[in-house]
Amino acid sequence: MIILSVNAGSSSLKFTGFEMPSEDVLISGVFERIGIDNSFYTIKVNGEKIKKEVELPNHKVAFEILIKELMDNKIVESLDEIKGVGHRIVQGGAYFDKTVIADEDAVSKIDELASLAPLHNHAAIVGINAAKEVMPNAVQTVVFDTAFHQTMAPCEYMYAVPYAWYKEYGIRKYGAHGTSHKYVSQRMNEILGRNDTKLITCHIGNGASISAVKDGKCVATSMGLTPNAGLIMGSRCGDMDATVGMTPKEMDIVLNKQSGLLGISGVSSDSRDIEEGIKNGNERCILAQEMYVKRIVEYIAKYYVLLGGCDAIVFTAGVGENSISTRKEILNKLAVLGIKVDEEANNVRGEERKITTDDSAVPAYIIPTNEELMIAKDTYSL
């Protein structure tokens, strides 16, 4: 059967079409500048990438064009062949610990939680409503970035602030990138051939988080109430003192958009630019990388102790999959745990493989993430 994985933004719509259960990708792409002048979309089908300029007044029109492309490319002959549509939702709060049907109750709760992800949850609802209108017979599901982390214990997700904040306003750690952590931890268990594992999964991209996963369930994660917690990221500061003297608006702009690698280096939020700066002897780029790696190592070490050992460390996402030097630096700083890098194996980008020696006390792997496939698998299961 055909399943669509979609991610609706306020002016965009990313999509991937899968044949399930074979998991073959049939089509993928993105509609951009929806509701804005000069809108367009790109699709990739049969190995060919095509860009088309078209008027996109709203998400419904984007879905209608997507259906036409599916038919024109003979992926489907009728609308009824699309059996399910899985929608990525950033914030599911404490309501959702798994993927569910996008019924009226679920959509109402997503709307209620919009204050925790104002840019994302409202846009997702627009996408859900548009998809229901265009594909009324398909099963619509909602897949939450926060769901995988709902297995954390209260001592892990609570903040040491007045308890009333939690009861009245839902102030607690929710985490993010849950769909990615779920996917790579499941894949790691497949590689190890068992589910009774202790894993540390490192989703390291422009946004980044690390999770401790025991027996397939998340027991801790580095992101918090918002994505601006835990690791140093491209432009986010990560963990820091809460008493910095700024207004809420200044805090939002500076700590989310002007901090992290960008703020320290003064060069870029992109890890590749930092690496280039290091080659050129830029001292602030060197400092930024040192701080960046140090924070990652600290979280891995902390989760190693929390789990009481570790069966595997997983690197995924943009930096985790592609930065040879960053992976090497992280693992070398973990040598005290008996971890040994296989430099030849590590000399790769975006490829699934083990990157530690056979006598390493803890194996480390690269596993490219596939959140779209995870959405499709959850939707297919429902």
Side-chain angles (χ1 to χ4, degrees), residues 156-185:
E156 187 63 44
Y157 67 70
M158 290 293 294
Y159 291 119
V161 295
Y163 195 76
W165 290 15
Y166 166 65
K167 297 298 290 184
E168 294 175 24
Y169 309 114
I171 303 298
R172 50 156 285 183
K173 177 182 282 194
Y174 292 105
H177 302 135
T179 309
S180 177
H181 288 291
K182 181 180 178 181
Y183 175 81
V184 298
S185 60

mmCIF file of all heavy atoms in Angstrom, residues 156-185:
data_model
loop_
_atom_site.group_PDB
_atom_site.id
_atom_site.type_symbol
_atom_site.label_atom_id
_atom_site.label_comp_id
_atom_site.label_asym_id
_atom_site.label_seq_id
_atom_site.Cartn_x
_atom_site.Cartn_y
_atom_site.Cartn_z
ATOM 1 N N GLU A 156 13.654 12.608 35.780
ATOM 2 C CA GLU A 156 14.431 12.993 34.609
ATOM 3 C C GLU A 156 13.804 14.167 33.871
ATOM 4 O O GLU A 156 14.498 15.037 33.365
ATOM 5 C CB GLU A 156 14.578 11.792 33.651
ATOM 6 C CG GLU A 156 15.503 12.032 32.475
ATOM 7 C CD GLU A 156 16.938 12.296 32.888
ATOM 8 O OE1 GLU A 156 17.460 11.576 33.766
ATOM 9 O OE2 GLU A 156 17.538 13.238 32.329
ATOM 10 N N TYR A 157 12.463 14.201 33.812
ATOM 11 C CA TYR A 157 11.836 15.259 33.010
ATOM 12 C C TYR A 157 11.410 16.488 33.809
ATOM 13 O O TYR A 157 11.112 17.532 33.239
ATOM 14 C CB TYR A 157 10.654 14.730 32.192
ATOM 15 C CG TYR A 157 9.431 14.255 32.949
ATOM 16 C CD1 TYR A 157 8.603 15.145 33.621
ATOM 17 C CD2 TYR A 157 9.060 12.914 32.915
ATOM 18 C CE1 TYR A 157 7.464 14.717 34.282
ATOM 19 C CE2 TYR A 157 7.912 12.469 33.562
ATOM 20 C CZ TYR A 157 7.116 13.369 34.242
ATOM 21 O OH TYR A 157 5.985 12.943 34.885
ATOM 22 N N MET A 158 11.421 16.402 35.133
ATOM 23 C CA MET A 158 11.019 17.553 35.943
ATOM 24 C C MET A 158 12.160 18.553 36.079
ATOM 25 O O MET A 158 13.334 18.194 36.075
ATOM 26 C CB MET A 158 10.585 17.101 37.338
ATOM 27 C CG MET A 158 9.268 16.334 37.367
ATOM 28 S SD MET A 158 7.844 17.359 36.925
ATOM 29 C CE MET A 158 7.811 18.502 38.309
ATOM 30 N N TYR A 159 11.792 19.832 36.223
ATOM 31 C CA TYR A 159 12.747 20.888 36.552
ATOM 32 C C TYR A 159 12.604 21.235 38.029
ATOM 33 O O TYR A 159 11.519 21.104 38.617
ATOM 34 C CB TYR A 159 12.474 22.145 35.731
ATOM 35 C CG TYR A 159 12.776 22.011 34.256
ATOM 36 C CD1 TYR A 159 11.777 22.179 33.310
ATOM 37 C CD2 TYR A 159 14.064 21.741 33.809
ATOM 38 C CE1 TYR A 159 12.046 22.078 31.945
ATOM 39 C CE2 TYR A 159 14.349 21.636 32.450
ATOM 40 C CZ TYR A 159 13.333 21.799 31.531
ATOM 41 O OH TYR A 159 13.611 21.697 30.193
ATOM 42 N N ALA A 160 13.717 21.708 38.623
ATOM 43 C CA ALA A 160 13.694 22.079 40.044
ATOM 44 C C ALA A 160 13.174 23.509 40.200
ATOM 45 O O ALA A 160 13.867 24.410 40.674
ATOM 46 C CB ALA A 160 15.090 21.945 40.646
ATOM 47 N N VAL A 161 11.938 23.709 39.792
ATOM 48 C CA VAL A 161 11.234 24.988 39.903
ATOM 49 C C VAL A 161 9.950 24.734 40.680
ATOM 50 O O VAL A 161 9.612 23.578 40.963
ATOM 51 C CB VAL A 161 10.930 25.570 38.499
ATOM 52 C CG1 VAL A 161 12.223 25.920 37.775
ATOM 53 C CG2 VAL A 161 10.105 24.592 37.664
ATOM 54 N N PRO A 162 9.208 25.748 41.079
ATOM 55 C CA PRO A 162 7.966 25.499 41.819
ATOM 56 C C PRO A 162 7.076 24.468 41.110
ATOM 57 O O PRO A 162 6.824 24.574 39.903
ATOM 58 C CB PRO A 162 7.304 26.877 41.850
ATOM 59 C CG PRO A 162 8.465 27.823 41.846
ATOM 60 C CD PRO A 162 9.478 27.197 40.947
ATOM 61 N N TYR A 163 6.633 23.472 41.867
ATOM 62 C CA TYR A 163 5.874 22.361 41.295
ATOM 63 C C TYR A 163 4.608 22.839 40.590
ATOM 64 O O TYR A 163 4.135 22.219 39.632
ATOM 65 C CB TYR A 163 5.522 21.353 42.391
ATOM 66 C CG TYR A 163 5.054 20.015 41.877
ATOM 67 C CD1 TYR A 163 5.977 19.103 41.375
ATOM 68 C CD2 TYR A 163 3.710 19.668 41.892
ATOM 69 C CE1 TYR A 163 5.564 17.865 40.897
ATOM 70 C CE2 TYR A 163 3.288 18.438 41.411
ATOM 71 C CZ TYR A 163 4.221 17.541 40.914
ATOM 72 O OH TYR A 163 3.809 16.320 40.425
ATOM 73 N N ALA A 164 4.075 23.972 41.045
ATOM 74 C CA ALA A 164 2.860 24.515 40.427
ATOM 75 C C ALA A 164 3.084 24.863 38.955
ATOM 76 O O ALA A 164 2.153 24.823 38.150
ATOM 77 C CB ALA A 164 2.392 25.754 41.186
ATOM 78 N N TRP A 165 4.317 25.200 38.594
ATOM 79 C CA TRP A 165 4.612 25.497 37.190
ATOM 80 C C TRP A 165 4.323 24.280 36.312
ATOM 81 O O TRP A 165 3.848 24.400 35.194
ATOM 82 C CB TRP A 165 6.076 25.903 37.019
ATOM 83 C CG TRP A 165 6.424 27.242 37.602
ATOM 84 C CD1 TRP A 165 5.691 27.990 38.474
ATOM 85 C CD2 TRP A 165 7.623 27.980 37.357
ATOM 86 N NE1 TRP A 165 6.350 29.152 38.796
ATOM 87 C CE2 TRP A 165 7.538 29.170 38.124
ATOM 88 C CE3 TRP A 165 8.749 27.749 36.582
ATOM 89 C CZ2 TRP A 165 8.556 30.124 38.125
ATOM 90 C CZ3 TRP A 165 9.767 28.699 36.580
ATOM 91 C CH2 TRP A 165 9.662 29.871 37.342
ATOM 92 N N TYR A 166 4.660 23.104 36.844
ATOM 93 C CA TYR A 166 4.415 21.861 36.107
ATOM 94 C C TYR A 166 2.913 21.568 36.045
ATOM 95 O O TYR A 166 2.377 21.258 34.967
ATOM 96 C CB TYR A 166 5.157 20.716 36.791
ATOM 97 C CG TYR A 166 4.730 19.338 36.334
ATOM 98 C CD1 TYR A 166 4.950 18.919 35.017
ATOM 99 C CD2 TYR A 166 4.121 18.453 37.221
ATOM 100 C CE1 TYR A 166 4.560 17.654 34.606
ATOM 101 C CE2 TYR A 166 3.737 17.182 36.806
ATOM 102 C CZ TYR A 166 3.953 16.789 35.503
ATOM 103 O OH TYR A 166 3.558 15.542 35.091
ATOM 104 N N LYS A 167 2.239 21.689 37.166
ATOM 105 C CA LYS A 167 0.811 21.354 37.220
ATOM 106 C C LYS A 167 -0.031 22.333 36.404
ATOM 107 O O LYS A 167 -0.981 21.939 35.718
ATOM 108 C CB LYS A 167 0.325 21.335 38.675
ATOM 109 C CG LYS A 167 0.981 20.275 39.545
ATOM 110 C CD LYS A 167 0.710 18.860 39.053
ATOM 111 C CE LYS A 167 -0.745 18.472 39.262
ATOM 112 N NZ LYS A 167 -0.997 17.062 38.863
ATOM 113 N N GLU A 168 0.306 23.624 36.477
ATOM 114 C CA GLU A 168 -0.533 24.642 35.835
ATOM 115 C C GLU A 168 -0.145 24.944 34.393
ATOM 116 O O GLU A 168 -1.004 25.238 33.566
ATOM 117 C CB GLU A 168 -0.487 25.934 36.661
ATOM 118 C CG GLU A 168 -1.114 25.793 38.047
ATOM 119 C CD GLU A 168 -0.956 27.052 38.885
ATOM 120 O OE1 GLU A 168 -0.790 28.138 38.281
ATOM 121 O OE2 GLU A 168 -0.978 26.948 40.127
ATOM 122 N N TYR A 169 1.152 24.858 34.103
ATOM 123 C CA TYR A 169 1.614 25.297 32.778
ATOM 124 C C TYR A 169 2.327 24.217 31.972
ATOM 125 O O TYR A 169 2.749 24.467 30.839
ATOM 126 C CB TYR A 169 2.555 26.501 32.920
ATOM 127 C CG TYR A 169 1.988 27.618 33.765
ATOM 128 C CD1 TYR A 169 2.562 27.962 34.971
ATOM 129 C CD2 TYR A 169 0.853 28.321 33.346
ATOM 130 C CE1 TYR A 169 2.035 28.978 35.753
ATOM 131 C CE2 TYR A 169 0.320 29.344 34.114
ATOM 132 C CZ TYR A 169 0.920 29.665 35.321
ATOM 133 O OH TYR A 169 0.393 30.669 36.095
ATOM 134 N N GLY A 170 2.485 23.026 32.537
ATOM 135 C CA GLY A 170 3.163 21.955 31.809
ATOM 136 C C GLY A 170 4.647 22.181 31.620
ATOM 137 O O GLY A 170 5.243 21.690 30.658
ATOM 138 N N ILE A 171 5.282 22.938 32.536
ATOM 139 C CA ILE A 171 6.712 23.218 32.426
ATOM 140 C C ILE A 171 7.497 21.975 32.837
ATOM 141 O O ILE A 171 7.546 21.601 34.005
ATOM 142 C CB ILE A 171 7.116 24.415 33.311
ATOM 143 C CG1 ILE A 171 6.308 25.653 32.946
ATOM 144 C CG2 ILE A 171 8.616 24.680 33.199
ATOM 145 C CD1 ILE A 171 6.500 26.145 31.532
ATOM 146 N N ARG A 172 8.094 21.314 31.855
ATOM 147 C CA ARG A 172 8.881 20.100 32.072
ATOM 148 C C ARG A 172 9.694 19.831 30.812
ATOM 149 O O ARG A 172 9.563 20.519 29.806
ATOM 150 C CB ARG A 172 7.984 18.894 32.372
ATOM 151 C CG ARG A 172 6.850 18.690 31.386
ATOM 152 C CD ARG A 172 6.358 17.264 31.342
ATOM 153 N NE ARG A 172 7.288 16.410 30.625
ATOM 154 C CZ ARG A 172 7.071 15.111 30.385
ATOM 155 N NH1 ARG A 172 5.960 14.528 30.823
ATOM 156 N NH2 ARG A 172 7.951 14.393 29.717
ATOM 157 N N LYS A 173 10.529 18.832 30.866
ATOM 158 C CA LYS A 173 11.325 18.445 29.700
ATOM 159 C C LYS A 173 10.467 17.555 28.794
ATOM 160 O O LYS A 173 9.876 16.567 29.255
ATOM 161 C CB LYS A 173 12.579 17.703 30.157
ATOM 162 C CG LYS A 173 13.452 17.197 29.025
ATOM 163 C CD LYS A 173 14.667 16.435 29.543
ATOM 164 C CE LYS A 173 15.740 17.358 30.049
ATOM 165 N NZ LYS A 173 17.049 16.674 30.242
ATOM 166 N N TYR A 174 10.405 17.904 27.505
ATOM 167 C CA TYR A 174 9.685 17.083 26.528
ATOM 168 C C TYR A 174 10.624 16.450 25.505
ATOM 169 O O TYR A 174 10.317 15.417 24.923
ATOM 170 C CB TYR A 174 8.637 17.921 25.795
ATOM 171 C CG TYR A 174 7.495 18.375 26.669
ATOM 172 C CD1 TYR A 174 7.404 19.696 27.098
ATOM 173 C CD2 TYR A 174 6.525 17.479 27.100
ATOM 174 C CE1 TYR A 174 6.364 20.121 27.915
ATOM 175 C CE2 TYR A 174 5.479 17.885 27.913
ATOM 176 C CZ TYR A 174 5.402 19.210 28.312
ATOM 177 O OH TYR A 174 4.375 19.619 29.126
ATOM 178 N N GLY A 175 11.764 17.092 25.267
ATOM 179 C CA GLY A 175 12.705 16.572 24.284
ATOM 180 C C GLY A 175 12.254 16.846 22.859
ATOM 181 O O GLY A 175 11.203 17.439 22.610
ATOM 182 N N ALA A 176 13.064 16.422 21.905
ATOM 183 C CA ALA A 176 12.759 16.582 20.478
ATOM 184 C C ALA A 176 13.529 15.522 19.703
ATOM 185 O O ALA A 176 14.236 14.704 20.299
ATOM 186 C CB ALA A 176 13.134 17.987 20.002
ATOM 187 N N HIS A 177 13.384 15.535 18.383
ATOM 188 C CA HIS A 177 14.041 14.560 17.499
ATOM 189 C C HIS A 177 13.662 13.121 17.858
ATOM 190 O O HIS A 177 14.375 12.174 17.515
ATOM 191 C CB HIS A 177 15.575 14.672 17.566
ATOM 192 C CG HIS A 177 16.101 16.020 17.211
ATOM 193 N ND1 HIS A 177 17.079 16.654 17.945
ATOM 194 C CD2 HIS A 177 15.788 16.880 16.210
ATOM 195 C CE1 HIS A 177 17.352 17.824 17.404
ATOM 196 N NE2 HIS A 177 16.585 17.995 16.349
ATOM 197 N N GLY A 178 12.526 12.946 18.545
ATOM 198 C CA GLY A 178 12.160 11.608 19.001
ATOM 199 C C GLY A 178 11.998 10.598 17.885
ATOM 200 O O GLY A 178 12.361 9.421 18.040
ATOM 201 N N THR A 179 11.466 11.038 16.751
ATOM 202 C CA THR A 179 11.278 10.121 15.626
ATOM 203 C C THR A 179 12.619 9.616 15.118
ATOM 204 O O THR A 179 12.760 8.440 14.764
ATOM 205 C CB THR A 179 10.506 10.827 14.492
ATOM 206 O OG1 THR A 179 9.322 11.421 15.034
ATOM 207 C CG2 THR A 179 10.104 9.850 13.408
ATOM 208 N N SER A 180 13.623 10.489 15.097
ATOM 209 C CA SER A 180 14.966 10.094 14.679
ATOM 210 C C SER A 180 15.608 9.151 15.695
ATOM 211 O O SER A 180 16.168 8.107 15.330
ATOM 212 C CB SER A 180 15.840 11.334 14.491
ATOM 213 O OG SER A 180 17.167 10.974 14.159
ATOM 214 N N HIS A 181 15.529 9.498 16.981
ATOM 215 C CA HIS A 181 16.108 8.630 18.018
ATOM 216 C C HIS A 181 15.446 7.249 18.001
ATOM 217 O O HIS A 181 16.115 6.230 18.186
ATOM 218 C CB HIS A 181 15.953 9.275 19.396
ATOM 219 C CG HIS A 181 16.852 10.454 19.624
ATOM 220 N ND1 HIS A 181 18.217 10.336 19.754
ATOM 221 C CD2 HIS A 181 16.586 11.778 19.732
ATOM 222 C CE1 HIS A 181 18.757 11.531 19.946
ATOM 223 N NE2 HIS A 181 17.778 12.429 19.929
ATOM 224 N N LYS A 182 14.143 7.229 17.777
ATOM 225 C CA LYS A 182 13.423 5.952 17.709
ATOM 226 C C LYS A 182 13.905 5.122 16.528
ATOM 227 O O LYS A 182 14.173 3.925 16.656
ATOM 228 C CB LYS A 182 11.919 6.217 17.603
ATOM 229 C CG LYS A 182 11.061 4.947 17.538
ATOM 230 C CD LYS A 182 9.590 5.316 17.445
ATOM 231 C CE LYS A 182 8.702 4.078 17.341
ATOM 232 N NZ LYS A 182 7.256 4.439 17.216
ATOM 233 N N TYR A 183 14.033 5.775 15.369
ATOM 234 C CA TYR A 183 14.442 5.055 14.165
ATOM 235 C C TYR A 183 15.834 4.448 14.323
ATOM 236 O O TYR A 183 16.040 3.250 14.077
ATOM 237 C CB TYR A 183 14.416 5.989 12.945
ATOM 238 C CG TYR A 183 14.943 5.315 11.693
ATOM 239 C CD1 TYR A 183 14.129 4.478 10.945
ATOM 240 C CD2 TYR A 183 16.262 5.490 11.292
ATOM 241 C CE1 TYR A 183 14.612 3.830 9.816
ATOM 242 C CE2 TYR A 183 16.756 4.845 10.162
ATOM 243 C CZ TYR A 183 15.932 4.021 9.422
ATOM 244 O OH TYR A 183 16.414 3.372 8.322
ATOM 245 N N VAL A 184 16.818 5.270 14.737
ATOM 246 C CA VAL A 184 18.193 4.758 14.792
ATOM 247 C C VAL A 184 18.382 3.749 15.924
ATOM 248 O O VAL A 184 19.183 2.817 15.789
ATOM 249 C CB VAL A 184 19.244 5.894 14.885
ATOM 250 C CG1 VAL A 184 19.171 6.779 13.641
ATOM 251 C CG2 VAL A 184 19.110 6.706 16.153
ATOM 252 N N SER A 185 17.628 3.896 17.014
ATOM 253 C CA SER A 185 17.749 2.915 18.099
ATOM 254 C C SER A 185 17.148 1.574 17.671
ATOM 255 O O SER A 185 17.699 0.512 17.992
ATOM 256 C CB SER A 185 17.104 3.425 19.388
ATOM 257 O OG SER A 185 15.730 3.690 19.220
#
